[in-house]
């Protein structure tokens, strides 16, 4: 079995992302996950913006985050995303946020595909689904 | 000439709104202005959500903010909004953010009405426009 | 055994909290949890701002969220928080976000107490810890 | 007279930055200005994080933004920042947000230097001030 594609995005901490503890607010990691998820999804050959244009929303149904160390302003973090599960109706992404060799946070997000016009859960067209299977390391 | 209606909204500072300076990040005041603007607009008899439902967006074309003192976590601020200008094609709102007797910030935002379907600037229907004129302190 | 105190905070959805799907962005629920957690913590007799003033940070070490239905602009949601676990070194909070009778999301957050000056995990003073035990429904 | 240094930062629009109008929420531009301001300030030889480490906050005292066209998810914007005014006690930055050849927004922010320990307005040390004068296009 092939390994899922791991895509790393470098993100510079924004001042606005810090809180009065002097570290990045914990809600921001969910936004960083989304940035990394979009970069990984682009590896299908379609950006997430294009997929929405085709009529599909990738709705978030669950999220888990484990916070190990706080990121700070002035730092650049590396957010790696990969597919943990690829189904015809949804996906699970996994993430790791690192600062150099240190892991700052890990997490997963669960998603279902929703038809933009009906707002109901749906299956992706086979061809598009296969592209996600491929970056997920699954045979066609 | 009548005075414009001044509507005050109490907002409790959220931890996530602070930054590492230990005060509320300056971008947040723009969000607070929006909350106060929505509360004032509701005085027309239509919430802003309803006005969007009728087919109009109130697009922001300009904003000015003067920051005098920083709000802090644990505080409740009072954000007062009123109409500074009411035209058939747009509005200007003015704001004051206070903590007790102290003014923390002042500002204005300029807006134009945009037709949701064409995404082009438009005029509001007379009846709706008159409602904004009334809370703006203008004769019909 | 007593039940933990359940504290509900009403939150009006902010326009800035929506995304282009037309619903509240999933990262916002973590911020709402924090608002509800602060309201519950105040039931100890000390606001969270005061507890920081005493020298303790309540650092987030984990979060889980299950999203069932999206909140929308124009709606008011009720966020209920309660203590799921009270230890001398940390707390686990649980949350439910409702719109009328519908549950929109549920979640938990895990926390450890950190000494503000040393930035190391610590125990809360007994008296303060007991106050959290009491709102957590635990005998002294 | 030399021209002020113009520093451009590329920013990819984040999904979380959009609102239900389908464009980037207007409060986000203030955050983008901050990102571009930090990149420009780094041209002094000191990152803004280092300057805070030296004991100075660059507090925002005013902001003006003019919004011409909305940025959208899937786009990359170029945010250019330059110094409009350099004083011993404060700075004014100017900004332009572009998408290709189109200008999406322009703005300015005004700042004063504040001593981190006293929280009072202050002057920057001569050497540091000169570095800002240089990137501002002013003779020493």
């Amino acid at each position: 079995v092939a390994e899922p594609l791991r895509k790393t995005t470098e993100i510079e901490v924004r001042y606005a992302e810090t809180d009065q503890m002097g570290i990045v607010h914990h809600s921001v990691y969910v936004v960083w996950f989304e940035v990394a998820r979009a970069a990984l999804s682009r590896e299908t050959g379609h950006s997430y913006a294009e997929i929405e244009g085709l009529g599909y929303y990738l709705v978030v149904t669950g999220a888990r985050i484990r916070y190990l160390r706080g990121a700070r302003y002035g730092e650049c973090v590396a957010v790696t995303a990969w597919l943990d599960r690829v189904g015809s109706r949804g996906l699970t992404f996994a993430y790791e946020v690192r600062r150099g060799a240190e892991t700052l946070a890990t997490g997963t997000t669960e998603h279902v595909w929703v038809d933009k016009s009906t707002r109901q859960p749906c299956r992706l067209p086979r061809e598009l689904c296969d592209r996600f299977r491929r970056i997920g390391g699954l045979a066609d």
Side-chain angles (χ1 to χ4, degrees), chain A residues 98-109:
Chain A
R98 274 167 300 114
R99 174 181 58 205
E102 288 183 307
T103 300
L104 303 187
T106 59
T108 56
T109 57

Side-chain angles (χ1 to χ4, degrees), chain A residues 17 19 23-31 65 67:
Chain A
E17 293 173 337
D19 66 19
I23 54 176
V24 170
H25 191 263
H26 62 282
S27 64
V28 174
Y29 291 74
V30 181
V31 176
I65 313 111
Y67 303 95

Side-chain angles (χ1 to χ4, degrees), chain A residues 48 51-52 55-59 112-117 119:
Chain A
Y48 180 65
I51 295 171
E52 273 204 5
Y56 306 97
Y57 283 133
L58 188 57
V59 171
V112 294
W113 291 108
V114 167
D115 184 291
K116 258 183 99 166
S117 48
R119 297 242 163 197

Side-chain angles (χ1 to χ4, degrees), chain A residues 61-105:
Chain A
T61 54
R64 290 187 188 200
I65 313 111
R66 185 136 305 278
Y67 303 95
L68 305 171
R69 290 173 188 81
R72 290 176 180 278
Y73 181 66
E75 295 176 350
C76 196
V77 297
V79 187
T80 304
W82 65 95
L83 274 164
D84 203 44
R85 184 186 60 84
V86 181
S88 60
R89 298 185 163 280
L91 305 168
T92 301
F93 291 86
Y95 311 91
E96 196 173 39
V97 181
R98 274 167 300 114
R99 174 181 58 205
E102 288 183 307
T103 300
L104 303 187

Side-chain angles (χ1 to χ4, degrees), chain A residues 117-137:
Chain A
S117 48
T118 65
R119 297 242 163 197
Q120 292 302 308
C122 67
R123 288 174 195 276
L124 267 201
R126 179 63 183 271
E127 198 270 333
L128 200 48
C129 188
D130 282 349
R131 287 164 177 259
F132 278 98
R133 286 174 60 83
R134 250 170 261 141
I135 64 170

